């Protein structure tokens, strides 16, 4: 269990490193978008290993550092590299940086991820604004003693993904002529991809896309009053939706192909969050 003091110590170290910068939006970038951290202007990078109580990221293509500066003219804090449950981190550890961000004054977050399309009306390459999520695996990041400095014991989950931010993202996408979907992100713990039966279950329960991240960060953000915009990229049709096997390489290749459009949408949304 982390204490409120732990969060304060992490925030202090970051504050001591970023000078006058006052990040307003937290960006958590999934597969294929990590490079945006390199485009931050007037940037200071803080390695996770330098920050007390932070855990290093173990995913091979994730850098494991915070980049604070400006993107599209908006003061941001970018998490270049996030933690996943399948790497062995606890939900509380995965959500930790979000709460630290809150202590630094951040009130909005954009979180992106790669996902498998469960909805048969979706195609590979589609972007989906997350309207809600389902998590029946992995415990809540809020499990254990509640820290009332962040939020209430029993927190409302009616609008984890902020409707106004979603509307704004939809307008931005339409203005760019970019078709976007909206749907429910169904969390799987991974690291293995799902079985076709699991995907049929998820569809029956109301899932549109399957993924292995995001829900812990979004839950903690919701608890401490950070408004979240979530965007998923469909890198593949989920298991059993079409014939053929799934692979990490396929996911990465699809993420790379969609990078331009995905980036354009994230930057357009960011500009609106000034
Ligand atoms: N399932 C879970 N996570 C994913 C997938 C998938 O099919 N594709 C990309 N991330």
């Amino acid at each position: 269990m982390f204490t409120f003091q732990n969060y304060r110590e992490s925030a202090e170290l970051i504050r001591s490193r970023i000078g006058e910068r006052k990040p307003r939006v937290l960006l958590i970038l999934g597969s294929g978008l990590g490079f945006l951290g390199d485009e931050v202007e007037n940037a200071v990078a803080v390695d996770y290993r330098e920050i007390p109580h932070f855990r290093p990221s173990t995913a091979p293509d994730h850098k494991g550092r915070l980049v604070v500066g400006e993107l599209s003219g908006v003061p941001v804090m970018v998490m270049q590299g996030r933690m996943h449950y399948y790497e062995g981190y606890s939900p509380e550890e995965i959500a930790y940086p979000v709460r630290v961000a809150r202590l630094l004054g951040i009130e909005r977050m954009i979180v992106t991820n790669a996902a498998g399309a469960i909805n048969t009306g979706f195609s590979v390459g589609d972007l989906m604004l997350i309207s809600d999520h389902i998590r029946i695996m992995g415990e809540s990041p809020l499990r254990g003693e509640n820290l009332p400095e962040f939020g209430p014991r029993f927190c409302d989950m009616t609008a984890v993904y902020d409707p106004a931010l979603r509307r704004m993202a939809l307008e931005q996408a339409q203005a760019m002529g970019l078709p976007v979907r909206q749907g429910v992100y169904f969390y799987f713990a991974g690291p293995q991809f799902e079985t076709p039966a699991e995907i049929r279950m998820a569809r029956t329960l109301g899932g549109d896309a399957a993924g292995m991240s995001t829900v812990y960060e979004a839950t903690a953000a919701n608890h401490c009053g950070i408004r979240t915009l979530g965007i998923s990229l469909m890198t593949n049709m989920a298991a059993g939706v079409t014939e053929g096997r799934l692979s990490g390489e396929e996911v990465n290749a699809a993420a790379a192909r969609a990078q331009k459009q995905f980036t354009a949408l994230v930057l357009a949304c960011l500009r609106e969050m000034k």
Side-chain angles (χ1 to χ4, degrees), residues 131-147:
S131 58
D132 206 347
H133 75 228
I134 298 175
R135 176 197 56 78
I136 48 182
M137 281 162 235
E139 70 270 29
S140 167
L142 307 177
R143 179 170 178 266
E145 185 192 346
N146 185 53
L147 297 178

PDB file of all heavy atoms in Angstrom, residues 131-147:
ATOM      1  N   SER A 131     -16.173   4.968 -24.562  1.00  0.00           N
ATOM      2  CA  SER A 131     -17.339   5.543 -23.886  1.00  0.00           C
ATOM      3  C   SER A 131     -17.469   4.990 -22.465  1.00  0.00           C
ATOM      4  O   SER A 131     -18.052   5.635 -21.596  1.00  0.00           O
ATOM      5  CB  SER A 131     -18.602   5.262 -24.689  1.00  0.00           C
ATOM      6  OG  SER A 131     -18.762   3.867 -24.866  1.00  0.00           O
ATOM      7  N   ASP A 132     -16.918   3.802 -22.253  1.00  0.00           N
ATOM      8  CA  ASP A 132     -17.011   3.163 -20.938  1.00  0.00           C
ATOM      9  C   ASP A 132     -16.087   1.940 -20.965  1.00  0.00           C
ATOM     10  O   ASP A 132     -15.554   1.588 -22.023  1.00  0.00           O
ATOM     11  CB  ASP A 132     -18.462   2.727 -20.683  1.00  0.00           C
ATOM     12  CG  ASP A 132     -18.798   2.642 -19.194  1.00  0.00           C
ATOM     13  OD1 ASP A 132     -17.870   2.679 -18.360  1.00  0.00           O
ATOM     14  OD2 ASP A 132     -19.988   2.510 -18.869  1.00  0.00           O
ATOM     15  N   HIS A 133     -15.910   1.321 -19.805  1.00  0.00           N
ATOM     16  CA  HIS A 133     -15.112   0.090 -19.814  1.00  0.00           C
ATOM     17  C   HIS A 133     -15.744  -0.992 -18.942  1.00  0.00           C
ATOM     18  O   HIS A 133     -16.616  -0.709 -18.105  1.00  0.00           O
ATOM     19  CB  HIS A 133     -13.645   0.368 -19.419  1.00  0.00           C
ATOM     20  CG  HIS A 133     -13.402   0.622 -17.954  1.00  0.00           C
ATOM     21  ND1 HIS A 133     -12.641   1.684 -17.497  1.00  0.00           N
ATOM     22  CD2 HIS A 133     -13.785  -0.036 -16.837  1.00  0.00           C
ATOM     23  CE1 HIS A 133     -12.576   1.651 -16.179  1.00  0.00           C
ATOM     24  NE2 HIS A 133     -13.272   0.623 -15.754  1.00  0.00           N
ATOM     25  N   ILE A 134     -15.302  -2.204 -19.155  1.00  0.00           N
ATOM     26  CA  ILE A 134     -15.688  -3.338 -18.298  1.00  0.00           C
ATOM     27  C   ILE A 134     -14.396  -3.998 -17.819  1.00  0.00           C
ATOM     28  O   ILE A 134     -13.526  -4.331 -18.620  1.00  0.00           O
ATOM     29  CB  ILE A 134     -16.540  -4.368 -19.076  1.00  0.00           C
ATOM     30  CG1 ILE A 134     -17.853  -3.736 -19.553  1.00  0.00           C
ATOM     31  CG2 ILE A 134     -16.825  -5.600 -18.188  1.00  0.00           C
ATOM     32  CD1 ILE A 134     -18.705  -4.645 -20.446  1.00  0.00           C
ATOM     33  N   ARG A 135     -14.293  -4.116 -16.495  1.00  0.00           N
ATOM     34  CA  ARG A 135     -13.132  -4.809 -15.921  1.00  0.00           C
ATOM     35  C   ARG A 135     -13.662  -5.858 -14.950  1.00  0.00           C
ATOM     36  O   ARG A 135     -14.180  -5.526 -13.897  1.00  0.00           O
ATOM     37  CB  ARG A 135     -12.213  -3.845 -15.151  1.00  0.00           C
ATOM     38  CG  ARG A 135     -11.056  -4.550 -14.461  1.00  0.00           C
ATOM     39  CD  ARG A 135     -10.406  -3.692 -13.386  1.00  0.00           C
ATOM     40  NE  ARG A 135     -11.358  -3.250 -12.379  1.00  0.00           N
ATOM     41  CZ  ARG A 135     -11.806  -4.021 -11.391  1.00  0.00           C
ATOM     42  NH1 ARG A 135     -11.391  -5.265 -11.269  1.00  0.00           N
ATOM     43  NH2 ARG A 135     -12.685  -3.556 -10.518  1.00  0.00           N
ATOM     44  N   ILE A 136     -13.548  -7.107 -15.330  1.00  0.00           N
ATOM     45  CA  ILE A 136     -13.928  -8.148 -14.368  1.00  0.00           C
ATOM     46  C   ILE A 136     -12.713  -8.961 -13.919  1.00  0.00           C
ATOM     47  O   ILE A 136     -12.827  -9.844 -13.106  1.00  0.00           O
ATOM     48  CB  ILE A 136     -15.049  -9.084 -14.925  1.00  0.00           C
ATOM     49  CG1 ILE A 136     -14.713  -9.556 -16.332  1.00  0.00           C
ATOM     50  CG2 ILE A 136     -16.388  -8.386 -14.926  1.00  0.00           C
ATOM     51  CD1 ILE A 136     -15.788 -10.429 -16.950  1.00  0.00           C
ATOM     52  N   MET A 137     -11.548  -8.607 -14.471  1.00  0.00           N
ATOM     53  CA  MET A 137     -10.302  -9.273 -14.052  1.00  0.00           C
ATOM     54  C   MET A 137      -9.387  -8.268 -13.359  1.00  0.00           C
ATOM     55  O   MET A 137      -9.391  -7.094 -13.706  1.00  0.00           O
ATOM     56  CB  MET A 137      -9.547  -9.764 -15.284  1.00  0.00           C
ATOM     57  CG  MET A 137     -10.086 -11.028 -15.867  1.00  0.00           C
ATOM     58  SD  MET A 137      -9.463 -11.180 -17.541  1.00  0.00           S
ATOM     59  CE  MET A 137     -11.009 -11.352 -18.389  1.00  0.00           C
ATOM     60  N   GLY A 138      -8.575  -8.749 -12.449  1.00  0.00           N
ATOM     61  CA  GLY A 138      -7.634  -7.860 -11.765  1.00  0.00           C
ATOM     62  C   GLY A 138      -8.402  -7.011 -10.769  1.00  0.00           C
ATOM     63  O   GLY A 138      -9.487  -6.533 -11.059  1.00  0.00           O
ATOM     64  N   GLU A 139      -7.834  -6.826  -9.571  1.00  0.00           N
ATOM     65  CA  GLU A 139      -8.586  -6.067  -8.570  1.00  0.00           C
ATOM     66  C   GLU A 139      -8.569  -4.573  -8.891  1.00  0.00           C
ATOM     67  O   GLU A 139      -7.803  -4.116  -9.734  1.00  0.00           O
ATOM     68  CB  GLU A 139      -8.050  -6.344  -7.157  1.00  0.00           C
ATOM     69  CG  GLU A 139      -6.683  -5.764  -6.873  1.00  0.00           C
ATOM     70  CD  GLU A 139      -5.551  -6.729  -7.217  1.00  0.00           C
ATOM     71  OE1 GLU A 139      -5.709  -7.569  -8.134  1.00  0.00           O
ATOM     72  OE2 GLU A 139      -4.496  -6.630  -6.576  1.00  0.00           O
ATOM     73  N   SER A 140      -9.408  -3.830  -8.177  1.00  0.00           N
ATOM     74  CA  SER A 140      -9.478  -2.381  -8.365  1.00  0.00           C
ATOM     75  C   SER A 140      -8.190  -1.725  -7.875  1.00  0.00           C
ATOM     76  O   SER A 140      -7.633  -2.146  -6.855  1.00  0.00           O
ATOM     77  CB  SER A 140     -10.653  -1.812  -7.570  1.00  0.00           C
ATOM     78  OG  SER A 140     -10.536  -0.402  -7.499  1.00  0.00           O
ATOM     79  N   PRO A 141      -7.724  -0.676  -8.565  1.00  0.00           N
ATOM     80  CA  PRO A 141      -6.561   0.070  -8.054  1.00  0.00           C
ATOM     81  C   PRO A 141      -6.901   0.805  -6.753  1.00  0.00           C
ATOM     82  O   PRO A 141      -6.002   1.268  -6.065  1.00  0.00           O
ATOM     83  CB  PRO A 141      -6.256   1.065  -9.183  1.00  0.00           C
ATOM     84  CG  PRO A 141      -7.535   1.218  -9.926  1.00  0.00           C
ATOM     85  CD  PRO A 141      -8.239  -0.104  -9.826  1.00  0.00           C
ATOM     86  N   LEU A 142      -8.189   0.886  -6.431  1.00  0.00           N
ATOM     87  CA  LEU A 142      -8.634   1.614  -5.231  1.00  0.00           C
ATOM     88  C   LEU A 142      -8.812   0.675  -4.038  1.00  0.00           C
ATOM     89  O   LEU A 142      -9.240   1.098  -2.967  1.00  0.00           O
ATOM     90  CB  LEU A 142      -9.953   2.347  -5.512  1.00  0.00           C
ATOM     91  CG  LEU A 142      -9.954   3.250  -6.746  1.00  0.00           C
ATOM     92  CD1 LEU A 142     -11.328   3.859  -6.969  1.00  0.00           C
ATOM     93  CD2 LEU A 142      -8.900   4.340  -6.619  1.00  0.00           C
ATOM     94  N   ARG A 143      -8.474  -0.613  -4.249  1.00  0.00           N
ATOM     95  CA  ARG A 143      -8.613  -1.592  -3.172  1.00  0.00           C
ATOM     96  C   ARG A 143      -7.643  -1.257  -2.039  1.00  0.00           C
ATOM     97  O   ARG A 143      -6.552  -0.768  -2.271  1.00  0.00           O
ATOM     98  CB  ARG A 143      -8.303  -2.983  -3.728  1.00  0.00           C
ATOM     99  CG  ARG A 143      -8.380  -4.112  -2.728  1.00  0.00           C
ATOM    100  CD  ARG A 143      -8.308  -5.448  -3.467  1.00  0.00           C
ATOM    101  NE  ARG A 143      -8.339  -6.552  -2.522  1.00  0.00           N
ATOM    102  CZ  ARG A 143      -7.253  -7.138  -2.035  1.00  0.00           C
ATOM    103  NH1 ARG A 143      -6.049  -6.776  -2.422  1.00  0.00           N
ATOM    104  NH2 ARG A 143      -7.378  -8.120  -1.171  1.00  0.00           N
ATOM    105  N   GLY A 144      -8.056  -1.534  -0.807  1.00  0.00           N
ATOM    106  CA  GLY A 144      -7.209  -1.207   0.343  1.00  0.00           C
ATOM    107  C   GLY A 144      -7.698   0.086   0.984  1.00  0.00           C
ATOM    108  O   GLY A 144      -8.724   0.632   0.577  1.00  0.00           O
ATOM    109  N   GLU A 145      -6.911   0.540   1.931  1.00  0.00           N
ATOM    110  CA  GLU A 145      -7.314   1.762   2.650  1.00  0.00           C
ATOM    111  C   GLU A 145      -7.577   2.899   1.667  1.00  0.00           C
ATOM    112  O   GLU A 145      -6.773   3.137   0.770  1.00  0.00           O
ATOM    113  CB  GLU A 145      -6.192   2.158   3.615  1.00  0.00           C
ATOM    114  CG  GLU A 145      -6.539   3.327   4.497  1.00  0.00           C
ATOM    115  CD  GLU A 145      -5.318   3.895   5.237  1.00  0.00           C
ATOM    116  OE1 GLU A 145      -4.271   3.203   5.259  1.00  0.00           O
ATOM    117  OE2 GLU A 145      -5.406   4.997   5.765  1.00  0.00           O
ATOM    118  N   ASN A 146      -8.686   3.602   1.851  1.00  0.00           N
ATOM    119  CA  ASN A 146      -8.947   4.749   0.969  1.00  0.00           C
ATOM    120  C   ASN A 146      -8.124   5.952   1.413  1.00  0.00           C
ATOM    121  O   ASN A 146      -7.921   6.179   2.601  1.00  0.00           O
ATOM    122  CB  ASN A 146     -10.437   5.119   1.001  1.00  0.00           C
ATOM    123  CG  ASN A 146     -10.734   6.226  -0.003  1.00  0.00           C
ATOM    124  OD1 ASN A 146     -10.397   6.094  -1.184  1.00  0.00           O
ATOM    125  ND2 ASN A 146     -11.339   7.313   0.451  1.00  0.00           N
ATOM    126  N   LEU A 147      -7.594   6.691   0.417  1.00  0.00           N
ATOM    127  CA  LEU A 147      -6.896   7.933   0.738  1.00  0.00           C
ATOM    128  C   LEU A 147      -7.857   9.072   0.385  1.00  0.00           C
ATOM    129  O   LEU A 147      -7.999   9.436  -0.783  1.00  0.00           O
ATOM    130  CB  LEU A 147      -5.591   8.046  -0.066  1.00  0.00           C
ATOM    131  CG  LEU A 147      -4.549   6.953   0.229  1.00  0.00           C
ATOM    132  CD1 LEU A 147      -3.322   7.113  -0.654  1.00  0.00           C
ATOM    133  CD2 LEU A 147      -4.142   6.963   1.706  1.00  0.00           C
TER     134      LEU A 147
END
